[in-house]
Amino acid sequence: STSKNIDACKGFFREEGDWLLVIDSLSGRDTSAFSIYEVEQEVTFLPYTYFRVRKYADEEIGSGISAKTLYLEELPSPRLPRTVFWVDDEPQNNVSLMHEVERHGGSVIAITSTNDAVWALTTFRHMLLLSNADYRIITDMVRIELCDDEFLCDTVDGGPIEDGKKSNTQRKANYTAGVDLVERVVNGLRYTLPILVYCGDVDRCISACAEKYFLDRVTVTKVPADVIAFLHRGGHLQE
C-alpha cells in the first residue's frame, strides 16, 4: 500500500526497522475518493510499473520511529500501442506540444538522457514487437548529461574537474546527443523505429546525420506542426 500521508504510513509500522519506500512518482493516482479510509490518501500504480532504487538510509521518521528507507524513482514505461519516447533534458520546454501529441492519440514518455532512453527501449523490447505496436522517438540535439565511461568529462556541474578525477555527478554538454542516440538505436539496438530530431539548428543536425549516413532514417525539424505530422506516419518496429 502507498500513501501521500506519512502519518498514515507510520500507522502500519509494527516494529523497529520496518521498511519505508519513498517514491518519486510519475503515474501514481490518488484513490482517496474511492476508499473507505479516505484519510489514508492511498495511491495506486498500474501493474508492471518499474522503479529504480536511488538511495538507502536508516532514518528516524518521527516519534522515535526508525525505518529502513528506500528512495525509489518510477521509470517511464509504455501505456498505449502508440507511444512516443521523447528524449530531452528540459522536457518542460515541450509540455504544450506533448499535450498536443496526446490529444492526437499518442502517449508520451518523457526521458531526459541518452542512457535512460536506451534502457527504456531495451527493457520494453517485448512491447515494441507487438503486432499493434506503434512506437517512435523524438529527440533534441544538445543535452546536458551525466558522464559515463564512454565520455571524457571536462566539467562538473559547470566547473572543472580537479586532477582528472571522475564521479557520478559529473555532467557535460553533449552537442551531438541526438545523433548519438540515433546511432545507438540504429547500430546498437538495430531498431527501425521512426526517429525525429526536434531542434533549433536544423542544418547542423542534418550535416551530423549525413556524416553518420543516417539521413534516410531520421526526420529533422524545428517546426511544431511537423511533430504532429510525424506522429501519424506509419512505422512498426522490425527485427
Side-chain angles (χ1 to χ4, degrees):
S1 178
T2 57
S3 172
K4 297 194 299 183
N5 186 338
I6 185 62
D7 291 326
C9 295
K10 292 176 185 177
F12 288 89
F13 279 76
R14 296 291 178 261
E15 59 184 32
E16 186 79 7
D18 278 353
W19 288 88
L20 174 68
L21 307 183
V22 179
I23 301 172
D24 184 3
S25 168
L26 295 173
S27 66
R29 293 294 181 265
D30 188 339
T31 57
S32 300
F34 310 100
S35 175
I36 298 176
Y37 307 104
E38 187 173 349
V39 69
E40 291 182 356
Q41 297 181 267
E42 188 167 1
V43 175
T44 59
F45 293 88
L46 289 172
Y48 305 108
T49 300
Y50 289 75
F51 301 94
R52 179 182 344 191
V53 176
R54 282 301 191 190
K55 186 174 71 171
Y56 164 79
D58 287 309
E59 296 182 341
E60 185 172 316
I61 59 174
S63 304
I65 300 175
S66 178
K68 298 176 181 177
T69 307
L70 277 181
Y71 288 84
L72 306 179
E73 172 191 21
E74 182 183 351
L75 295 171
S77 58
R79 300 298 186 197
L80 296 174
R82 171 172 286 181
T83 296
V84 176
F85 294 87
W86 197 314
V87 190
D88 192 316
D89 60 330
E90 295 185 335
Q92 67 275 11
N93 294 340
N94 302 307
V95 168
S96 60
L97 193 51
M98 289 177 178
H99 288 168
E100 186 69 8
V101 168
E102 293 189 330
R103 192 177 71 80
H104 282 260
S107 172
V108 176
I109 295 178
I111 303 174
T112 58
S113 74
T114 301
N115 284 340
D116 281 353
V118 171
W119 178 91
L121 290 164
T122 303
T123 300
F124 301 112
R125 181 178 181 82
H126 61 289
M127 299 184 70
L128 272 61
L129 291 171
L130 294 175
S131 60
N132 66 336
D134 184 5
Y135 294 93
R136 52 204 64 218
I137 299 168
I138 297 176
T139 177
D140 59 348
M141 183 60 173
V142 180
R143 282 192 287 276
I144 304 296
E145 298 188 307
L146 287 174
C147 298
D148 57 27
D149 292 339
E150 297 179 22
F151 299 107
L152 176 61
C153 300
D154 53 9
T155 61
V156 179
D157 294 334
I161 297 175
E162 295 182 3
D163 300 326
K165 294 180 180 178
K166 293 176 67 68
S167 79
N168 59 10
T169 61
Q170 295 172 16
R171 301 186 300 167
K172 75 168 186 176
N174 183 357
Y175 294 97
T176 60
V179 176
D180 292 345
L181 175 60
V182 174
E183 183 170 21
R184 293 178 69 176
V185 169
V186 174
N187 292 341
L189 300 178
R190 301 192 179 279
Y191 285 175
T192 57
L193 294 173
I195 303 173
L196 180 141
V197 182
Y198 183 56
C199 63
D201 193 343
V202 171
D203 290 339
R204 188 175 71 85
C205 182
I206 289 176
S207 176
C209 288
E211 289 180 6
K212 298 283 188 177
Y213 303 100
F214 290 147
L215 274 182
D216 61 330
R217 299 294 309 277
V218 179
T219 301
V220 183
T221 187
K222 61 180 179 180
V223 180
D226 289 344
V227 175
I228 304 303
F230 172 75
L231 179 69
H232 293 292
R233 296 176 191 167
H236 176 68
L237 176 65
Q238 301 173 5
E239 296 246 53

